[in-house]
Every structure is written in C-alpha cells, then in structure tokens.
Amino acid sequence: MTRRRGDKPEVELTEGAIRVVWRGRTRTIMPAAAPPGAEEAADFIVLLDDIVCWDPPDEETEIEMNELQTILEAIDEAFDKIGLEVAYE
C-alpha cells in the first residue's frame, strides 16, 4: 500500500498534552499518572483505553485499530526526535 502525501499523523508535543492531527481530525491526549511501583518514569504516559474517539466536532467517530497503530507510531517517532520516552498503559 502506498501512502499519499499528508497521510501521516502530525504530532504536536506541548508541556501538558500530545495533539495528533490527521485527515482533518484532531485527538488530544492528556498524560496519565505513573502506575504504582513503576521502575522508571517515562516522560509521558498514554492510557490506550483513553484513545477511543476523535476530539469534537468528530467525537462520534471512533478511532479504528489500524488508525491507532499509525497514531502510536507517529507519537513514538515524535518523542524519539527530541530524546524523550513515552510509555503506553
């Protein structure tokens, strides 16, 4: 499958959130608290169960599994570029 230009999520990292913009929709991801007993603290923890739907006005549109995988890959890439670590729970 070939990817069209612009068919990759854009990830913006702010101090308090991750903003993903893709195909005209946005998803804002807030950080989660580190689980008790975590050996190393990641710079940002994402709860996968929180990434279900897009932000308004697309809140009725579910994020499909293949879309989620692509979003997570883009987030990993964005964090790698700036030398930070993201963890998924």
Side-chain angles (χ1 to χ4, degrees), residues 31-49:
E39 292 179 18
E40 287 188 36
D43 297 298
F44 199 99
I45 298 173
V46 174
L47 290 179
L48 296 175
D49 289 342

Side-chain angles (χ1 to χ4, degrees), residues 14-53:
T14 67
E15 268 188 51
I18 299 170
R19 181 165 294 113
V20 179
V21 179
W22 192 24
R23 298 177 178 162
R25 295 177 282 194
T26 302
R27 177 66 177 129
T28 304
I29 302 167
M30 302 304 292
E39 292 179 18
E40 287 188 36
D43 297 298
F44 199 99
I45 298 173
V46 174
L47 290 179
L48 296 175
D49 289 342
D50 287 349
I51 308 174
V52 178
C53 295

Side-chain angles (χ1 to χ4, degrees), residues 1 5-7 10-11 13 15 21 24 35-37 39-41 45-47 51 54 60 71 74 83-84 87:
M1 175 197 316
R5 185 175 178 194
D7 197 33
E10 294 179 30
V11 177
L13 305 176
E15 268 188 51
V21 179
E39 292 179 18
E40 287 188 36
I45 298 173
V46 174
L47 290 179
I51 308 174
W54 295 97
E60 299 294 322
I71 290 168
L84 296 177

Side-chain angles (χ1 to χ4, degrees), residues 57-68:
D58 300 301
E59 69 270 20
E60 299 294 322
T61 306
E62 288 188 16
I63 297 172
E64 296 183 19
M65 191 58 71
N66 62 332
E67 291 175 321
L68 178 61

